Amino acid sequence: MSQPITNYQPIMNYQHQSDIDSIKRLPAGKVVCIGRNYAAHAKELGNPVPKQPVIFIKPSTSLCHWNEKVYIPAGLGECHHEVELAILIKERLTNLDETDDVVSAIAGVSLALDLTLRDLQQTLKSQGHPWEMAKAFDGACPVANWVELPSAKWLEQAEFSLSINGELRQSTTAQLMLWPVIELIRYISQTFTLQPGDMVLTGTPEGVAALQPGDKLQASLSDLLTITSKVESYGG
């Protein structure tokens, strides 16, 4: 279960996909993720509701396109879906305070899957080790096409959902986030400098569960995006 996953072909040529040329020109950077940003999700995994944002990073090699297929590794235990609102950064952001503008630095918004090897994560947590092997493997972050941010207000009320085989599994609104998007980006910038092409995953709602080969996924982001795909496994 602890073997790393390498040479996963779908990630080899990742570039941000969008109808917006300026987005397509951005490099693929790091993915800064927020854990437990929805109280109900923290509780469903038996985790305490945090008093400050929980931050971890997926490398650029975890990125792949969320197209017709979602690939999960075989033989490494359960791989859970975690659908999240994704934010793409287009300007360098560092050590922001509450007066600094964040909205003008957002290139676009999308949906992403924070694929998680749950059995491995639980083992690592029980040993007091970091989660990266369960969260940052090649192909662990499928991303849909990027679209333009409708408005700053939209970030406070965005809705997104994920259905598996026609059954609604995850559904939420940004209003239920413990820390709103703008506040998160400012907070992250005080620890990690965000560079053009970096992404922020803003947390997943309750309803996470294991994916199985053959599962049919449908996800939506407000009225901006709809994604349909099928799960396949590799390796093993």
Side-chain angles (χ1 to χ4, degrees):
M1 181 172 292
S2 61
Q3 293 299 311
I5 304 165
T6 58
N7 298 322
Y8 174 49
Q9 292 303 312
I11 62 96
M12 298 307 290
N13 297 307
Y14 177 84
Q15 290 181 311
H16 300 303
Q17 292 187 338
S18 177
D19 292 332
I20 303 171
D21 286 341
S22 59
I23 288 179
K24 290 188 288 187
R25 290 194 292 268
L26 289 170
K30 62 183 177 291
V31 185
V32 183
C33 306
I34 304 298
R36 307 175 194 172
N37 199 26
Y38 291 86
H41 171 59
K43 292 177 180 177
E44 76 175 342
L45 295 183
N47 295 317
V49 176
K51 296 182 179 180
Q52 62 186 27
V54 176
I55 300 177
F56 61 95
I57 286 181
K58 290 174 178 272
S60 60
T61 47
S62 71
L63 291 168
C64 62
H65 297 128
W66 186 353
N67 291 325
E68 292 84 4
K69 295 181 180 179
V70 169
Y71 293 90
I72 61 173
L76 296 176
E78 291 189 350
C79 184
H80 281 207
H81 59 78
E82 297 189 11
V83 67
E84 308 200 15
L85 170 64
I87 309 296
L88 183 62
I89 303 300
K90 65 180 179 181
E91 297 177 8
R92 185 176 185 272
L93 300 175
T94 188
N95 201 29
L96 301 180
D97 62 32
E98 61 183 15
T99 67
D100 288 317
D101 180 30
V102 171
V103 174
S104 65
I106 295 176
V109 296
S110 189
L111 285 178
L113 287 173
D114 172 16
L115 295 181
T116 304
L117 297 174
R118 190 70 70 199
D119 296 333
L120 177 56
Q121 184 190 37
Q122 297 296 349
T123 297
L124 293 168
K125 287 170 63 177
S126 69
Q127 297 172 346
H129 295 166
W131 304 344
E132 272 75 7
M133 291 184 69
K135 289 276 194 178
F137 56 91
D138 291 353
C141 190
V143 185
N145 283 13
W146 295 96
V147 296
E148 185 177 2
L149 172 66
S151 67
K153 185 67 176 177
W154 181 90
L155 291 171
E156 302 172 7
Q157 56 196 24
E159 299 177 349
F160 60 97
S161 64
L162 175 69
S163 296
I164 311 289
N165 301 324
E167 176 186 352
L168 184 63
R169 292 282 185 85
Q170 294 186 270
S171 180
T172 195
T173 169
Q175 293 173 333
L176 296 178
M177 290 181 179
L178 295 175
W179 293 277
V181 172
I182 298 301
E183 184 178 338
L184 283 176
I185 293 174
R186 289 194 180 111
Y187 182 87
I188 291 166
S189 78
Q190 295 167 12
T191 303
F192 305 111
T193 293
L194 291 169
Q195 301 278 23
D198 285 352
M199 289 169 45
V200 175
L201 299 193
T202 57
T204 196
E206 73 274 18
V208 302
L211 291 170
Q212 303 295 334
D215 280 347
K216 295 179 180 180
L217 282 59
Q218 181 166 326
S220 63
L221 173 61
S222 299
D223 58 354
L224 300 179
L225 281 174
T226 299
I227 308 115
T228 57
S229 53
K230 185 177 181 180
V231 177
E232 291 194 6
S233 63
Y234 68 93

